[in-house]
Amino acid sequence: MAIMWRKDLETGIESIDDQHKALIEQANILLEACAQGKGKEEVKETLDFLASYVVTHFKDEEAYQKKYNYPLYDLHAKVHEDFLQEVENLKQEFDEQGPTLRFTVQFNKRVVDWLINHIGKMDKEFAKYVKENYTQDK
């Protein structure tokens, strides 16, 4: 089940939106590889890349939040940390089970849903804070 980028997910911060789009694209590649029954190694490479990209994205996003003294930074960083642990748990499950239907369902539930909800709520709240408090970024 492919995830479509929607206008309501845009934060209005171009670099963050571009990274979000790339995350969704990589999630779609992983889901498609599982659906097509690709080899375990190919799916693992995609999962590893996605996990690595999430780490990079979170570091960039958190740096942006620090730059603007975002008052909910600590909460946002904790949510990121918890999600990274979730991704590690999924990677471990994948290593044990491979690209099974169960893994694909769990990936959808635990990663895709999280990304869409996180972008649509927490990241948009941060973007709103920046726009309301720093006119040069409007």
Side-chain angles (χ1 to χ4, degrees):
M1 165 183 12
I3 314 152
M4 302 302 294
W5 179 258
R6 306 181 314 249
K7 189 90 171 147
D8 66 319
L9 294 175
E10 288 182 6
T11 63
I13 301 170
E14 187 175 358
S15 62
I16 299 292
D17 286 339
D18 288 346
Q19 288 182 349
H20 287 160
K21 289 174 187 176
L23 281 169
I24 288 173
E25 180 180 336
Q26 286 303 311
N28 283 335
I29 289 169
L30 179 62
L31 291 171
E32 184 63 25
C34 288
Q36 291 181 0
K38 300 277 182 169
K40 184 176 180 179
E41 196 56 40
E42 183 174 343
V43 175
K44 181 173 178 10
E45 286 177 24
T46 306
L47 179 59
D48 288 345
F49 177 82
L50 180 62
S52 173
Y53 195 86
V54 167
V55 170
T56 300
H57 168 65
F58 286 170
K59 284 181 182 177
D60 291 349
E61 195 172 273
E62 289 169 14
Y64 207 88
Q65 290 174 359
K66 283 182 180 178
K67 174 182 175 182
Y68 290 101
N69 298 309
Y70 185 48
L72 298 177
Y73 169 80
D74 289 336
L75 171 65
H76 207 119
K78 174 69 171 122
V79 169
H80 284 171
E81 181 182 318
D82 291 347
F83 180 72
L84 291 174
Q85 183 58 56
E86 188 71 29
V87 170
E88 284 304 312
N89 294 344
L90 272 171
K91 285 175 67 177
Q92 182 177 349
E93 286 178 33
F94 178 82
D95 288 341
E96 294 168 3
Q97 302 170 13
T100 62
L101 177 60
R102 182 185 185 298
F103 171 80
T104 305
V105 169
Q106 288 300 310
F107 181 84
N108 260 311
K109 181 179 178 195
R110 291 156 58 184
V111 175
V112 173
D113 287 351
W114 187 92
L115 282 172
I116 297 301
N117 288 322
H118 181 77
I119 292 168
K121 293 179 182 151
M122 291 190 87
D123 289 348
K124 286 192 75 155
E125 285 177 20
F126 166 64
K128 180 180 176 190
Y129 167 81
V130 170
K131 289 174 190 166
E132 289 175 352
N133 294 284
Y134 298 92
T135 56
Q136 69 272 21
D137 287 82
K138 286 186 179 178

PDB file of all heavy atoms in Angstrom, residues 106-136:
ATOM      1  N   GLN A 106       3.359  -5.100  10.163  1.00  0.00           N
ATOM      2  CA  GLN A 106       3.929  -4.392  11.312  1.00  0.00           C
ATOM      3  C   GLN A 106       4.652  -3.122  10.873  1.00  0.00           C
ATOM      4  O   GLN A 106       4.566  -2.090  11.546  1.00  0.00           O
ATOM      5  CB  GLN A 106       4.888  -5.310  12.082  1.00  0.00           C
ATOM      6  CG  GLN A 106       4.188  -6.394  12.858  1.00  0.00           C
ATOM      7  CD  GLN A 106       3.237  -5.826  13.896  1.00  0.00           C
ATOM      8  OE1 GLN A 106       3.589  -4.956  14.694  1.00  0.00           O
ATOM      9  NE2 GLN A 106       2.012  -6.305  13.884  1.00  0.00           N
ATOM     10  N   PHE A 107       5.355  -3.194   9.765  1.00  0.00           N
ATOM     11  CA  PHE A 107       6.032  -2.003   9.246  1.00  0.00           C
ATOM     12  C   PHE A 107       5.015  -0.912   8.947  1.00  0.00           C
ATOM     13  O   PHE A 107       5.201   0.244   9.327  1.00  0.00           O
ATOM     14  CB  PHE A 107       6.847  -2.350   7.995  1.00  0.00           C
ATOM     15  CG  PHE A 107       7.587  -1.172   7.427  1.00  0.00           C
ATOM     16  CD1 PHE A 107       8.819  -0.803   7.942  1.00  0.00           C
ATOM     17  CD2 PHE A 107       7.049  -0.415   6.401  1.00  0.00           C
ATOM     18  CE1 PHE A 107       9.505   0.290   7.441  1.00  0.00           C
ATOM     19  CE2 PHE A 107       7.726   0.676   5.898  1.00  0.00           C
ATOM     20  CZ  PHE A 107       8.963   1.033   6.411  1.00  0.00           C
ATOM     21  N   ASN A 108       3.938  -1.296   8.275  1.00  0.00           N
ATOM     22  CA  ASN A 108       2.867  -0.339   7.984  1.00  0.00           C
ATOM     23  C   ASN A 108       2.324   0.279   9.251  1.00  0.00           C
ATOM     24  O   ASN A 108       2.176   1.498   9.356  1.00  0.00           O
ATOM     25  CB  ASN A 108       1.730  -1.020   7.232  1.00  0.00           C
ATOM     26  CG  ASN A 108       1.774  -0.772   5.760  1.00  0.00           C
ATOM     27  OD1 ASN A 108       1.902   0.349   5.321  1.00  0.00           O
ATOM     28  ND2 ASN A 108       1.699  -1.837   4.994  1.00  0.00           N
ATOM     29  N   LYS A 109       2.017  -0.561  10.211  1.00  0.00           N
ATOM     30  CA  LYS A 109       1.383  -0.094  11.441  1.00  0.00           C
ATOM     31  C   LYS A 109       2.330   0.770  12.269  1.00  0.00           C
ATOM     32  O   LYS A 109       1.944   1.825  12.761  1.00  0.00           O
ATOM     33  CB  LYS A 109       0.928  -1.298  12.264  1.00  0.00           C
ATOM     34  CG  LYS A 109       0.242  -0.938  13.542  1.00  0.00           C
ATOM     35  CD  LYS A 109      -0.199  -2.186  14.294  1.00  0.00           C
ATOM     36  CE  LYS A 109      -0.835  -1.792  15.610  1.00  0.00           C
ATOM     37  NZ  LYS A 109      -0.947  -2.901  16.512  1.00  0.00           N
ATOM     38  N   ARG A 110       3.556   0.325  12.426  1.00  0.00           N
ATOM     39  CA  ARG A 110       4.469   0.968  13.362  1.00  0.00           C
ATOM     40  C   ARG A 110       5.306   2.076  12.735  1.00  0.00           C
ATOM     41  O   ARG A 110       5.713   3.007  13.446  1.00  0.00           O
ATOM     42  CB  ARG A 110       5.346  -0.080  14.008  1.00  0.00           C
ATOM     43  CG  ARG A 110       4.514  -0.967  14.940  1.00  0.00           C
ATOM     44  CD  ARG A 110       5.058  -2.342  15.198  1.00  0.00           C
ATOM     45  NE  ARG A 110       6.387  -2.402  15.771  1.00  0.00           N
ATOM     46  CZ  ARG A 110       7.015  -3.566  15.964  1.00  0.00           C
ATOM     47  NH1 ARG A 110       6.448  -4.702  15.641  1.00  0.00           N
ATOM     48  NH2 ARG A 110       8.220  -3.574  16.467  1.00  0.00           N
ATOM     49  N   VAL A 111       5.589   2.025  11.458  1.00  0.00           N
ATOM     50  CA  VAL A 111       6.439   3.044  10.841  1.00  0.00           C
ATOM     51  C   VAL A 111       5.634   4.015   9.982  1.00  0.00           C
ATOM     52  O   VAL A 111       5.671   5.222  10.192  1.00  0.00           O
ATOM     53  CB  VAL A 111       7.574   2.399  10.011  1.00  0.00           C
ATOM     54  CG1 VAL A 111       8.373   3.453   9.275  1.00  0.00           C
ATOM     55  CG2 VAL A 111       8.487   1.582  10.920  1.00  0.00           C
ATOM     56  N   VAL A 112       4.895   3.489   9.037  1.00  0.00           N
ATOM     57  CA  VAL A 112       4.151   4.359   8.119  1.00  0.00           C
ATOM     58  C   VAL A 112       3.137   5.206   8.877  1.00  0.00           C
ATOM     59  O   VAL A 112       3.099   6.436   8.722  1.00  0.00           O
ATOM     60  CB  VAL A 112       3.487   3.532   7.003  1.00  0.00           C
ATOM     61  CG1 VAL A 112       2.590   4.407   6.153  1.00  0.00           C
ATOM     62  CG2 VAL A 112       4.543   2.841   6.156  1.00  0.00           C
ATOM     63  N   ASP A 113       2.329   4.574   9.716  1.00  0.00           N
ATOM     64  CA  ASP A 113       1.342   5.336  10.482  1.00  0.00           C
ATOM     65  C   ASP A 113       2.029   6.380  11.359  1.00  0.00           C
ATOM     66  O   ASP A 113       1.575   7.514  11.467  1.00  0.00           O
ATOM     67  CB  ASP A 113       0.483   4.415  11.354  1.00  0.00           C
ATOM     68  CG  ASP A 113      -0.517   3.605  10.558  1.00  0.00           C
ATOM     69  OD1 ASP A 113      -0.684   3.855   9.345  1.00  0.00           O
ATOM     70  OD2 ASP A 113      -1.138   2.696  11.154  1.00  0.00           O
ATOM     71  N   TRP A 114       3.150   5.978  11.987  1.00  0.00           N
ATOM     72  CA  TRP A 114       3.858   6.911  12.851  1.00  0.00           C
ATOM     73  C   TRP A 114       4.343   8.109  12.050  1.00  0.00           C
ATOM     74  O   TRP A 114       4.171   9.257  12.478  1.00  0.00           O
ATOM     75  CB  TRP A 114       5.044   6.219  13.535  1.00  0.00           C
ATOM     76  CG  TRP A 114       5.692   7.113  14.553  1.00  0.00           C
ATOM     77  CD1 TRP A 114       5.400   7.188  15.879  1.00  0.00           C
ATOM     78  CD2 TRP A 114       6.725   8.080  14.320  1.00  0.00           C
ATOM     79  NE1 TRP A 114       6.194   8.130  16.483  1.00  0.00           N
ATOM     80  CE2 TRP A 114       7.015   8.694  15.548  1.00  0.00           C
ATOM     81  CE3 TRP A 114       7.435   8.479  13.195  1.00  0.00           C
ATOM     82  CZ2 TRP A 114       7.984   9.692  15.686  1.00  0.00           C
ATOM     83  CZ3 TRP A 114       8.395   9.473  13.316  1.00  0.00           C
ATOM     84  CH2 TRP A 114       8.658  10.068  14.544  1.00  0.00           C
ATOM     85  N   LEU A 115       4.968   7.864  10.906  1.00  0.00           N
ATOM     86  CA  LEU A 115       5.480   8.974  10.095  1.00  0.00           C
ATOM     87  C   LEU A 115       4.373   9.953   9.714  1.00  0.00           C
ATOM     88  O   LEU A 115       4.524  11.168   9.876  1.00  0.00           O
ATOM     89  CB  LEU A 115       6.157   8.453   8.823  1.00  0.00           C
ATOM     90  CG  LEU A 115       7.555   7.884   8.969  1.00  0.00           C
ATOM     91  CD1 LEU A 115       7.998   7.239   7.664  1.00  0.00           C
ATOM     92  CD2 LEU A 115       8.544   8.951   9.396  1.00  0.00           C
ATOM     93  N   ILE A 116       3.273   9.416   9.208  1.00  0.00           N
ATOM     94  CA  ILE A 116       2.173  10.281   8.774  1.00  0.00           C
ATOM     95  C   ILE A 116       1.617  11.081   9.952  1.00  0.00           C
ATOM     96  O   ILE A 116       1.408  12.296   9.853  1.00  0.00           O
ATOM     97  CB  ILE A 116       1.059   9.447   8.098  1.00  0.00           C
ATOM     98  CG1 ILE A 116       1.592   8.765   6.836  1.00  0.00           C
ATOM     99  CG2 ILE A 116      -0.171  10.296   7.801  1.00  0.00           C
ATOM    100  CD1 ILE A 116       2.132   9.686   5.771  1.00  0.00           C
ATOM    101  N   ASN A 117       1.404  10.411  11.087  1.00  0.00           N
ATOM    102  CA  ASN A 117       0.865  11.112  12.257  1.00  0.00           C
ATOM    103  C   ASN A 117       1.862  12.118  12.822  1.00  0.00           C
ATOM    104  O   ASN A 117       1.487  13.229  13.196  1.00  0.00           O
ATOM    105  CB  ASN A 117       0.454  10.109  13.340  1.00  0.00           C
ATOM    106  CG  ASN A 117      -0.789   9.351  12.962  1.00  0.00           C
ATOM    107  OD1 ASN A 117      -1.708   9.908  12.371  1.00  0.00           O
ATOM    108  ND2 ASN A 117      -0.830   8.078  13.283  1.00  0.00           N
ATOM    109  N   HIS A 118       3.135  11.750  12.869  1.00  0.00           N
ATOM    110  CA  HIS A 118       4.149  12.646  13.423  1.00  0.00           C
ATOM    111  C   HIS A 118       4.321  13.885  12.545  1.00  0.00           C
ATOM    112  O   HIS A 118       4.345  15.009  13.048  1.00  0.00           O
ATOM    113  CB  HIS A 118       5.480  11.895  13.569  1.00  0.00           C
ATOM    114  CG  HIS A 118       6.562  12.737  14.146  1.00  0.00           C
ATOM    115  ND1 HIS A 118       6.633  13.039  15.489  1.00  0.00           N
ATOM    116  CD2 HIS A 118       7.633  13.339  13.564  1.00  0.00           C
ATOM    117  CE1 HIS A 118       7.694  13.792  15.707  1.00  0.00           C
ATOM    118  NE2 HIS A 118       8.316  13.996  14.554  1.00  0.00           N
ATOM    119  N   ILE A 119       4.433  13.665  11.252  1.00  0.00           N
ATOM    120  CA  ILE A 119       4.578  14.799  10.332  1.00  0.00           C
ATOM    121  C   ILE A 119       3.337  15.693  10.412  1.00  0.00           C
ATOM    122  O   ILE A 119       3.446  16.914  10.516  1.00  0.00           O
ATOM    123  CB  ILE A 119       4.787  14.321   8.878  1.00  0.00           C
ATOM    124  CG1 ILE A 119       6.142  13.622   8.736  1.00  0.00           C
ATOM    125  CG2 ILE A 119       4.680  15.493   7.894  1.00  0.00           C
ATOM    126  CD1 ILE A 119       6.317  12.872   7.425  1.00  0.00           C
ATOM    127  N   GLY A 120       2.170  15.064  10.369  1.00  0.00           N
ATOM    128  CA  GLY A 120       0.916  15.808  10.339  1.00  0.00           C
ATOM    129  C   GLY A 120       0.602  16.567  11.604  1.00  0.00           C
ATOM    130  O   GLY A 120      -0.181  17.522  11.578  1.00  0.00           O
ATOM    131  N   LYS A 121       1.202  16.154  12.730  1.00  0.00           N
ATOM    132  CA  LYS A 121       0.908  16.830  13.996  1.00  0.00           C
ATOM    133  C   LYS A 121       2.133  17.555  14.547  1.00  0.00           C
ATOM    134  O   LYS A 121       2.205  18.777  14.502  1.00  0.00           O
ATOM    135  CB  LYS A 121       0.372  15.811  15.008  1.00  0.00           C
ATOM    136  CG  LYS A 121      -0.980  15.266  14.604  1.00  0.00           C
ATOM    137  CD  LYS A 121      -1.483  14.240  15.592  1.00  0.00           C
ATOM    138  CE  LYS A 121      -2.831  13.707  15.096  1.00  0.00           C
ATOM    139  NZ  LYS A 121      -3.083  12.366  15.507  1.00  0.00           N
ATOM    140  N   MET A 122       3.093  16.799  15.051  1.00  0.00           N
ATOM    141  CA  MET A 122       4.223  17.416  15.764  1.00  0.00           C
ATOM    142  C   MET A 122       5.087  18.297  14.870  1.00  0.00           C
ATOM    143  O   MET A 122       5.482  19.390  15.274  1.00  0.00           O
ATOM    144  CB  MET A 122       5.076  16.348  16.447  1.00  0.00           C
ATOM    145  CG  MET A 122       4.377  15.670  17.606  1.00  0.00           C
ATOM    146  SD  MET A 122       5.492  14.620  18.561  1.00  0.00           S
ATOM    147  CE  MET A 122       6.155  15.822  19.713  1.00  0.00           C
ATOM    148  N   ASP A 123       5.401  17.810  13.682  1.00  0.00           N
ATOM    149  CA  ASP A 123       6.253  18.608  12.796  1.00  0.00           C
ATOM    150  C   ASP A 123       5.533  19.858  12.313  1.00  0.00           C
ATOM    151  O   ASP A 123       6.141  20.923  12.179  1.00  0.00           O
ATOM    152  CB  ASP A 123       6.745  17.776  11.616  1.00  0.00           C
ATOM    153  CG  ASP A 123       7.774  16.730  12.038  1.00  0.00           C
ATOM    154  OD1 ASP A 123       8.281  16.794  13.180  1.00  0.00           O
ATOM    155  OD2 ASP A 123       8.072  15.850  11.224  1.00  0.00           O
ATOM    156  N   LYS A 124       4.249  19.736  12.075  1.00  0.00           N
ATOM    157  CA  LYS A 124       3.483  20.917  11.652  1.00  0.00           C
ATOM    158  C   LYS A 124       3.369  21.928  12.796  1.00  0.00           C
ATOM    159  O   LYS A 124       3.376  23.133  12.560  1.00  0.00           O
ATOM    160  CB  LYS A 124       2.118  20.499  11.121  1.00  0.00           C
ATOM    161  CG  LYS A 124       2.247  19.849   9.734  1.00  0.00           C
ATOM    162  CD  LYS A 124       0.939  19.687   9.060  1.00  0.00           C
ATOM    163  CE  LYS A 124       0.500  21.036   8.567  1.00  0.00           C
ATOM    164  NZ  LYS A 124      -0.407  20.976   7.434  1.00  0.00           N
ATOM    165  N   GLU A 125       3.279  21.443  14.033  1.00  0.00           N
ATOM    166  CA  GLU A 125       3.249  22.355  15.181  1.00  0.00           C
ATOM    167  C   GLU A 125       4.554  23.141  15.265  1.00  0.00           C
ATOM    168  O   GLU A 125       4.545  24.347  15.535  1.00  0.00           O
ATOM    169  CB  GLU A 125       3.031  21.581  16.483  1.00  0.00           C
ATOM    170  CG  GLU A 125       1.618  21.097  16.672  1.00  0.00           C
ATOM    171  CD  GLU A 125       1.463  20.270  17.939  1.00  0.00           C
ATOM    172  OE1 GLU A 125       2.302  20.374  18.858  1.00  0.00           O
ATOM    173  OE2 GLU A 125       0.497  19.494  18.002  1.00  0.00           O
ATOM    174  N   PHE A 126       5.680  22.451  15.051  1.00  0.00           N
ATOM    175  CA  PHE A 126       6.968  23.141  15.065  1.00  0.00           C
ATOM    176  C   PHE A 126       7.028  24.192  13.959  1.00  0.00           C
ATOM    177  O   PHE A 126       7.439  25.329  14.184  1.00  0.00           O
ATOM    178  CB  PHE A 126       8.125  22.137  14.915  1.00  0.00           C
ATOM    179  CG  PHE A 126       9.423  22.801  14.591  1.00  0.00           C
ATOM    180  CD1 PHE A 126      10.014  23.675  15.492  1.00  0.00           C
ATOM    181  CD2 PHE A 126      10.047  22.597  13.376  1.00  0.00           C
ATOM    182  CE1 PHE A 126      11.210  24.316  15.198  1.00  0.00           C
ATOM    183  CE2 PHE A 126      11.236  23.235  13.064  1.00  0.00           C
ATOM    184  CZ  PHE A 126      11.816  24.092  13.980  1.00  0.00           C
ATOM    185  N   ALA A 127       6.602  23.820  12.758  1.00  0.00           N
ATOM    186  CA  ALA A 127       6.620  24.758  11.629  1.00  0.00           C
ATOM    187  C   ALA A 127       5.744  25.978  11.934  1.00  0.00           C
ATOM    188  O   ALA A 127       6.124  27.117  11.624  1.00  0.00           O
ATOM    189  CB  ALA A 127       6.153  24.065  10.359  1.00  0.00           C
ATOM    190  N   LYS A 128       4.616  25.757  12.557  1.00  0.00           N
ATOM    191  CA  LYS A 128       3.720  26.855  12.925  1.00  0.00           C
ATOM    192  C   LYS A 128       4.425  27.783  13.918  1.00  0.00           C
ATOM    193  O   LYS A 128       4.352  29.007  13.794  1.00  0.00           O
ATOM    194  CB  LYS A 128       2.438  26.297  13.530  1.00  0.00           C
ATOM    195  CG  LYS A 128       1.444  27.347  13.937  1.00  0.00           C
ATOM    196  CD  LYS A 128       0.191  26.727  14.521  1.00  0.00           C
ATOM    197  CE  LYS A 128      -0.743  27.807  15.007  1.00  0.00           C
ATOM    198  NZ  LYS A 128      -1.859  27.262  15.786  1.00  0.00           N
ATOM    199  N   TYR A 129       5.113  27.199  14.877  1.00  0.00           N
ATOM    200  CA  TYR A 129       5.864  27.995  15.857  1.00  0.00           C
ATOM    201  C   TYR A 129       6.893  28.880  15.155  1.00  0.00           C
ATOM    202  O   TYR A 129       7.005  30.072  15.446  1.00  0.00           O
ATOM    203  CB  TYR A 129       6.552  27.058  16.862  1.00  0.00           C
ATOM    204  CG  TYR A 129       7.591  27.743  17.707  1.00  0.00           C
ATOM    205  CD1 TYR A 129       7.228  28.486  18.827  1.00  0.00           C
ATOM    206  CD2 TYR A 129       8.942  27.659  17.385  1.00  0.00           C
ATOM    207  CE1 TYR A 129       8.181  29.125  19.603  1.00  0.00           C
ATOM    208  CE2 TYR A 129       9.907  28.295  18.159  1.00  0.00           C
ATOM    209  CZ  TYR A 129       9.524  29.026  19.260  1.00  0.00           C
ATOM    210  OH  TYR A 129      10.471  29.669  20.022  1.00  0.00           O
ATOM    211  N   VAL A 130       7.650  28.305  14.231  1.00  0.00           N
ATOM    212  CA  VAL A 130       8.671  29.070  13.510  1.00  0.00           C
ATOM    213  C   VAL A 130       8.019  30.205  12.732  1.00  0.00           C
ATOM    214  O   VAL A 130       8.470  31.356  12.788  1.00  0.00           O
ATOM    215  CB  VAL A 130       9.492  28.161  12.571  1.00  0.00           C
ATOM    216  CG1 VAL A 130      10.389  28.988  11.648  1.00  0.00           C
ATOM    217  CG2 VAL A 130      10.330  27.179  13.377  1.00  0.00           C
ATOM    218  N   LYS A 131       6.953  29.907  12.018  1.00  0.00           N
ATOM    219  CA  LYS A 131       6.293  30.930  11.193  1.00  0.00           C
ATOM    220  C   LYS A 131       5.710  32.057  12.037  1.00  0.00           C
ATOM    221  O   LYS A 131       5.738  33.214  11.640  1.00  0.00           O
ATOM    222  CB  LYS A 131       5.206  30.281  10.329  1.00  0.00           C
ATOM    223  CG  LYS A 131       5.782  29.434   9.228  1.00  0.00           C
ATOM    224  CD  LYS A 131       4.710  28.696   8.501  1.00  0.00           C
ATOM    225  CE  LYS A 131       5.349  27.685   7.570  1.00  0.00           C
ATOM    226  NZ  LYS A 131       4.415  26.706   7.067  1.00  0.00           N
ATOM    227  N   GLU A 132       5.185  31.699  13.209  1.00  0.00           N
ATOM    228  CA  GLU A 132       4.573  32.722  14.063  1.00  0.00           C
ATOM    229  C   GLU A 132       5.595  33.561  14.808  1.00  0.00           C
ATOM    230  O   GLU A 132       5.304  34.701  15.186  1.00  0.00           O
ATOM    231  CB  GLU A 132       3.625  32.058  15.076  1.00  0.00           C
ATOM    232  CG  GLU A 132       2.360  31.515  14.442  1.00  0.00           C
ATOM    233  CD  GLU A 132       1.476  30.759  15.410  1.00  0.00           C
ATOM    234  OE1 GLU A 132       1.899  30.506  16.570  1.00  0.00           O
ATOM    235  OE2 GLU A 132       0.351  30.414  15.028  1.00  0.00           O
ATOM    236  N   ASN A 133       6.793  33.015  15.033  1.00  0.00           N
ATOM    237  CA  ASN A 133       7.769  33.696  15.875  1.00  0.00           C
ATOM    238  C   ASN A 133       8.985  34.252  15.149  1.00  0.00           C
ATOM    239  O   ASN A 133       9.745  35.018  15.722  1.00  0.00           O
ATOM    240  CB  ASN A 133       8.220  32.759  17.000  1.00  0.00           C
ATOM    241  CG  ASN A 133       7.094  32.463  17.951  1.00  0.00           C
ATOM    242  OD1 ASN A 133       6.735  33.293  18.771  1.00  0.00           O
ATOM    243  ND2 ASN A 133       6.495  31.300  17.838  1.00  0.00           N
ATOM    244  N   TYR A 134       9.182  33.840  13.918  1.00  0.00           N
ATOM    245  CA  TYR A 134      10.356  34.269  13.175  1.00  0.00           C
ATOM    246  C   TYR A 134       9.921  34.689  11.770  1.00  0.00           C
ATOM    247  O   TYR A 134       9.824  33.862  10.876  1.00  0.00           O
ATOM    248  CB  TYR A 134      11.403  33.154  13.114  1.00  0.00           C
ATOM    249  CG  TYR A 134      11.891  32.788  14.489  1.00  0.00           C
ATOM    250  CD1 TYR A 134      11.285  31.773  15.216  1.00  0.00           C
ATOM    251  CD2 TYR A 134      12.950  33.493  15.075  1.00  0.00           C
ATOM    252  CE1 TYR A 134      11.715  31.463  16.499  1.00  0.00           C
ATOM    253  CE2 TYR A 134      13.386  33.176  16.352  1.00  0.00           C
ATOM    254  CZ  TYR A 134      12.761  32.167  17.064  1.00  0.00           C
ATOM    255  OH  TYR A 134      13.179  31.864  18.329  1.00  0.00           O
ATOM    256  N   THR A 135       9.675  35.964  11.608  1.00  0.00           N
ATOM    257  CA  THR A 135       9.097  36.479  10.368  1.00  0.00           C
ATOM    258  C   THR A 135       9.956  36.207   9.141  1.00  0.00           C
ATOM    259  O   THR A 135       9.423  36.061   8.049  1.00  0.00           O
ATOM    260  CB  THR A 135       8.848  37.993  10.460  1.00  0.00           C
ATOM    261  OG1 THR A 135      10.072  38.640  10.791  1.00  0.00           O
ATOM    262  CG2 THR A 135       7.797  38.310  11.488  1.00  0.00           C
ATOM    263  N   GLN A 136      11.271  36.108   9.285  1.00  0.00           N
ATOM    264  CA  GLN A 136      12.108  35.872   8.120  1.00  0.00           C
ATOM    265  C   GLN A 136      11.844  34.494   7.505  1.00  0.00           C
ATOM    266  O   GLN A 136      12.209  34.252   6.367  1.00  0.00           O
ATOM    267  CB  GLN A 136      13.608  36.040   8.447  1.00  0.00           C
ATOM    268  CG  GLN A 136      14.186  34.973   9.366  1.00  0.00           C
ATOM    269  CD  GLN A 136      14.054  35.303  10.835  1.00  0.00           C
ATOM    270  OE1 GLN A 136      13.237  36.107  11.259  1.00  0.00           O
ATOM    271  NE2 GLN A 136      14.849  34.646  11.661  1.00  0.00           N
TER     272      GLN A 136
END
